Amino acid sequence: MTERYDVLIVGAGPAGLAAAQAAASHGARVGLLDAQARPGGQVWRHDVRRAAPRAARKAIAALHQVEILTQHHVVACEDHALLVETPQGAERLTYGALVLATGARELLLPFPGWTLPGVAGAGGLQALLKQGWPIAGKRVVVAGSGPLLLAAAATLRAHGARLLGIYEQAPAATVNAFARQLLHWPARAAQAISLRARLAGVPYRCGSIVRSAHGEGQLGAIEIEGARGVHRLECDQLAVGYGLVPNVELAGLLGCAMEHDGAHPQVQVDSLLRTSVADVHAAGELCGIGGLAAARIEGAIAGHAAAGDDEAATALLPQRAQARRFADLLRRHFALDPRLHALATPQTLVCRCEDVTLAALDGFTDARAAKLATRCGMGACQGRICGSALAELGCFPRGGVRPPLFPARLATLALAESEPSFSDEYRGN
């Protein structure tokens, strides 16, 4: 089955929602697709126990003129068309303009014991809780970097976890300097104060990193290195995350030019968020990690531009500039401590899907060669976790992307085979 949209948006998080509303305001036929069962993305993921934030409810309610295509996984692409898989089968979606709002994922860095049951990404555990994962009464430690740790910790406490502490890798002086800067950003200052109030009594330690996790078949304790030395802390669950990495895989498959912010690529865009590929726009974390406010503003800019109203898009540029200044502030103050890059030992698993150790990758400087020799990156995540971690550690950049973007049914691949252009893309011709 083939459907055509004037504007097709991939990703129903804050950026995608804003893009859909903006594009639909011009009378365009808009399709908003997402892999999840409900719109909201990771930031506004549906919580089975708690109501969504008012901003999320308002943004979703504004989509009455938008076709919401949930549980749609993009498998492959061709010129002005996407091959998607749904619970009912495969579909071909064509478009006049495409907005990529595929968001970001957590950056996880390997350390001894990080594959133990009970160790999870901070955002990943937050998502599990919202879907009903039992956490009440369990002893939980949150560690890593950035304000997202506070949001994850607040969700944990709201779901009944016993929070033992929040361990931020940035030094206290840097975190305090960031807090003082919040005086220039009243809304974000209010948000930070609200989060700290909800976490009253929970220790917050700066300059601290989790060096290792220990347990026999299940997490039982972690080792923390901080300003006062190294100490061991018994716990049932560790939520750890070191920031975010843009999900650029679909953009790469489409041929969009990239630029790098440190070790990780982001999509190159012009002032109106147009990529190097005609009729393809990008918004939100794809353009560099910027947070909720930047994502919503950029989504609106991309939506207006995709619908052909450059004037409405241009009017929002000052707001985007302000939001991006705050993102730069975050990046400077929560830069990762080099100690984190040295935690993995030669025996530490780097690729959890294929059980590949760091030592097994010695001598490789190319992701493709390492994959062929060790199967690193050939598991279910297709290198999204280990590839980003290895790039952060300075081993080698992530390899190129080929379809299918995610594991797909044979029937879907058969449809791709029946379409000459999809078939050529799939074969890499």
Side-chain angles (χ1 to χ4, degrees), residues 335-369:
L336 296 185
D337 190 314
R339 290 180 297 168
L340 297 167
H341 297 158
L343 292 176
T345 68
Q347 291 73 41
T348 301
L349 289 179
V350 175
C351 177
R352 300 184 295 184
C353 298
E354 297 293 331
D355 292 339
V356 180
T357 64
L358 186 60
L361 299 173
D362 283 348
F364 292 102
T365 58
D366 175 76
R368 184 173 185 274

Side-chain angles (χ1 to χ4, degrees), residues 3-304:
E3 288 285 345
R4 176 169 178 79
Y5 295 92
D6 298 322
V7 178
L8 185 62
I9 300 159
V10 182
L17 292 169
Q21 182 180 359
S25 71
H26 301 290
R29 185 189 183 192
V30 178
L32 175 64
L33 68 89
D34 196 275
Q36 302 300 322
R38 296 170 181 257
Q42 299 300 325
V43 173
W44 288 336
R45 179 184 285 271
H46 174 70
D47 191 324
V48 297
R49 293 181 54 186
R50 304 175 65 84
R54 190 172 81 171
R57 298 196 302 270
K58 184 177 179 180
I60 294 170
L63 300 179
H64 52 275
Q65 294 179 333
V66 174
E67 296 179 42
I68 303 175
L69 310 170
T70 55
Q71 294 184 291
H72 280 56
H73 298 259
V74 179
V75 174
C77 61
E78 63 165 329
D79 183 32
H80 287 75
L82 300 179
L83 175 67
V84 301
E85 184 174 272
T86 75
Q88 290 74 40
E91 297 180 16
R92 184 174 180 268
L93 306 180
T94 66
Y95 55 83
L98 180 68
V99 176
L100 301 177
T102 49
R105 59 180 175 273
E106 286 186 285
L107 174 62
L108 303 178
L109 298 180
F111 56 87
W114 77 305
T115 59
L116 276 171
V119 180
L125 182 57
Q126 188 180 32
L128 286 173
L129 298 182
K130 290 182 177 182
Q131 295 175 93
W133 185 269
I135 200 72
K138 292 185 178 180
R139 301 167 300 172
V140 184
V141 172
V142 178
S145 187
L148 291 179
L149 298 184
L150 296 178
T155 300
L156 282 158
R157 173 171 265 194
H159 284 256
R162 291 174 53 199
L163 285 174
L164 303 184
I166 302 169
Y167 293 87
E168 165 62 56
Q169 60 87 39
T174 304
V175 174
N176 290 335
F178 171 76
R180 289 193 294 272
Q181 289 292 322
L182 289 180
L183 295 174
H184 303 293
W185 309 88
R188 290 171 176 82
Q191 183 182 36
I193 292 170
S194 173
L195 281 172
R196 288 301 293 144
R198 289 156 60 188
L199 295 168
V202 178
Y204 183 82
R205 301 286 182 259
C206 297
S208 300
I209 62 174
V210 175
R211 299 204 320 179
S212 58
H214 305 273
E216 294 297 327
Q218 174 67 35
L219 178 66
I222 59 174
E223 191 175 81
I224 301 171
E225 179 182 335
R228 300 179 182 178
V230 178
H231 72 280
R232 188 180 177 95
L233 180 62
E234 294 185 352
C235 60
D236 305 309
Q237 189 86 44
L238 169 64
V240 60
Y242 292 103
L244 301 173
V245 177
N247 288 324
V248 299
E249 287 75 16
L250 178 55
L253 199 61
L254 287 161
C256 300
M258 301 288 168
E259 56 190 18
H260 279 73
D261 177 17
H264 309 288
Q266 61 192 44
V267 178
Q268 186 180 92
V269 294
D270 66 10
S271 61
L272 294 185
L273 305 183
R274 294 173 290 220
T275 73
S276 62
V277 177
D279 302 318
V280 177
H281 306 250
E285 312 293 35
L286 279 181
C287 307
I289 304 304
L292 175 60
R296 298 187 71 184
I297 294 165
E298 290 183 351
I301 292 172
H304 287 306

